[in-house]
Amino acid sequence: MKKYIVLFLLILIGTFSLKAISDFKKTTEIGSIYSSKEYAQTLRKDLFSLMMAYPKYIIDIEIVNNDQVYLVLKSGQKLLYDDKKEKSQSEKLENPDLQDMMEEVYFLGPIDRLMPQNYNPGRLRVYPLLKEVYGSHQSEIEKNLTGITINGGHHRFNHNNSAANFLKSAITELNHLAQDHPALWGYMYPIGGTYNFRHIAKTNRLSPHAFGISIDLASNKNDYWQWTTRAAGEKRLKTYPEAIVEVMEKNFFIWGGKWGQFDILHFEYRPEIIIKALYFNNEKKDLWYENLPVEDLRVSNTIWLIEERLQQFPAASPQ
Ligand SMILES: [Zn+2]
């Protein structure tokens, strides 16, 4: 009998120590992700892209409890950079943090194949940030709208954070191009729509059209992943004029044609995604700001602020 009790105790101790070892492994693995050089660099690149994209609305960075990085907004609201939770794709869509929103890299320039189904850079949106910048509810958003005449039609767009100005400059350039390349007209007009206070089809999430930061150009039945097959969508993608995408991206609009769940007629003003794509491709650099035009005062001031605020941050320094 005694023998059995000893055996039982040994098994019990063994089980506990195995569990302790695997728990220890888990924490050190997680710990090492957050203290890795790569994480430290990505964090700084994301903060830089966000601060450059929303200069009047993101005013500072704050570290809480030594390991939580917050963006401080003009209203005093603070947004956590990384909640460090494992999330499924649908949980990310419902409740992304800033790190989730910035994670999938957007590629600038022409593409002729659809992205994989689950690759949708820029489709995650941190709503508290959009609400801070463009208006927190319908009537506040509508106060921030301005009318733009596009090809004789009247369209409303949000003037905050220069969104409407960049749309105007993109449309002016495209109209100019279309004079020499008349095939562009059919892809641009009639405009599908700009501001529209609505939810994304079959979801409870507000559409970016509800903030007045998106434009749908001329519509085609194969433009949207839920209207058509991937093969037909890809065929449409291959015919889509590169000039339209290039001009829109130059003005800080991302293109729904670069989402695996494609939305080819859709362009959305998302300067943080374009800035990250512009300056931080996947090349590994020793210094995270190596590629940046530091002669630009806004750029060097932003780098300085990030380095200053994060110098106490426990994640490994990027240098
Ligand atoms: Zn749209």
Side-chain angles (χ1 to χ4, degrees):
M1 187 64 191
K2 232 181 187 174
K3 227 162 58 185
Y4 288 115
I5 293 174
V6 172
L7 193 64
F8 175 75
L9 282 175
L10 281 176
I11 291 171
L12 206 66
I13 292 165
T15 317
F16 273 123
S17 43
L18 275 178
K19 191 177 174 310
I21 290 169
S22 87
D23 281 355
F24 175 73
K25 265 193 175 163
K26 256 187 227 157
T27 37
T28 45
E29 266 164 28
I30 290 170
S32 63
I33 292 170
Y34 296 119
S35 59
S36 71
K37 182 170 172 178
E38 201 182 336
Y39 184 85
Q41 290 217 0
T42 306
L43 164 68
R44 284 157 172 84
K45 291 171 182 176
D46 288 351
L47 296 178
F48 176 84
S49 306
L50 284 156
M51 296 194 83
M52 291 295 289
Y54 302 100
K56 285 196 223 149
Y57 301 91
I58 299 173
I59 56 167
D60 206 351
I61 298 167
E62 209 177 287
I63 314 285
V64 175
N65 294 335
N66 279 331
D67 68 346
Q68 292 163 319
V69 179
Y70 285 85
L71 285 182
V72 183
L73 306 183
K74 195 174 79 176
S75 64
Q77 195 189 169
K78 290 170 193 171
L79 295 182
L80 182 60
Y81 169 71
D82 187 357
D83 59 20
K84 299 180 183 171
K85 285 182 191 150
E86 284 275 344
K87 291 178 210 159
S88 68
Q89 204 57 32
S90 61
E91 285 166 338
K92 278 186 186 173
L93 271 169
E94 283 303 323
N95 193 21
D97 57 26
L98 295 164
Q99 183 270 330
D100 297 324
M101 180 172 83
M102 303 298 289
E103 192 171 23
E104 289 179 325
V105 179
Y106 183 90
F107 296 100
L108 295 170
I111 53 161
D112 62 358
R113 299 195 58 183
L114 284 177
M115 291 283 169
Q117 181 88 18
N118 273 330
Y119 197 76
N120 300 284
R123 210 173 58 127
L124 299 180
R125 305 174 188 93
V126 170
Y127 284 89
L129 178 63
L130 292 184
K131 289 179 175 183
E132 170 95 7
V133 177
Y134 300 109
S136 61
H137 48 268
Q138 188 170 1
S139 64
E140 204 181 299
I141 291 167
E142 288 183 356
K143 275 186 219 149
N144 296 329
L145 299 178
T146 186
I148 304 180
T149 305
I150 304 175
N151 199 31
H154 184 78
H155 300 276
R156 289 190 292 169
F157 218 70
N158 206 303
H159 58 64
N160 284 4
N161 205 40
S162 306
N165 279 343
F166 279 108
L167 178 64
K168 271 189 239 169
S169 99
I171 293 294
T172 307
E173 186 172 346
L174 285 173
N175 283 347
H176 193 74
L177 273 177
Q179 285 171 4
D180 291 333
H181 307 278
L184 293 182
W185 290 115
Y187 287 90
M188 292 165 63
Y189 303 122
I191 295 288
T194 52
Y195 172 71
N196 183 356
F197 197 84
R198 63 172 167 85
H199 289 89
I200 299 170
K202 299 178 190 161
T203 75
N204 291 320
R205 297 190 305 279
L206 276 179
S207 156
H209 288 277
F211 292 94
I213 55 168
S214 293
I215 181 166
D216 292 335
L217 297 182
S219 167
N220 175 287
K221 65 179 185 345
N222 294 316
D223 274 342
Y224 190 51
W225 68 288
Q226 288 194 328
W227 299 340
T228 187
T229 61
R230 273 181 77 81
E234 189 157 278
K235 222 170 148 188
R236 162 84 168 153
L237 186 89
K238 285 180 197 291
T239 70
Y240 207 82
E242 287 172 10
I244 296 183
V245 179
E246 193 190 316
V247 169
M248 294 303 284
E249 287 178 349
K250 200 166 76 185
N251 287 283
F252 303 103
F253 283 78
I254 58 170
W255 180 34
K258 291 185 178 174
W259 294 339
Q261 294 178 345
F262 52 95
D263 192 354
I264 296 173
L265 75 171
H266 176 89
F267 290 88
E268 179 172 338
Y269 181 71
R270 295 289 297 284
E272 76 282 22
I273 304 291
I274 297 286
I275 289 172
K276 187 168 180 185
L278 200 58
Y279 291 126
F280 305 114
N281 52 21
N282 274 336
E283 260 177 84
K284 291 247 183 325
K285 299 273 180 195
D286 274 345
L287 272 178
W288 68 271
Y289 49 82
E290 215 157 305
N291 275 349
L292 299 179
V294 288
E295 61 283 0
D296 177 338
L297 206 61
R298 262 191 66 211
V299 169
S300 54
N301 283 342
T302 307
I303 297 170
W304 180 86
L305 183 92
I306 291 169
E307 290 300 292
E308 167 74 18
R309 295 292 184 265
L310 296 191
Q311 59 177 325
Q312 303 297 335
F313 193 65
S317 146
Q319 283 93 349

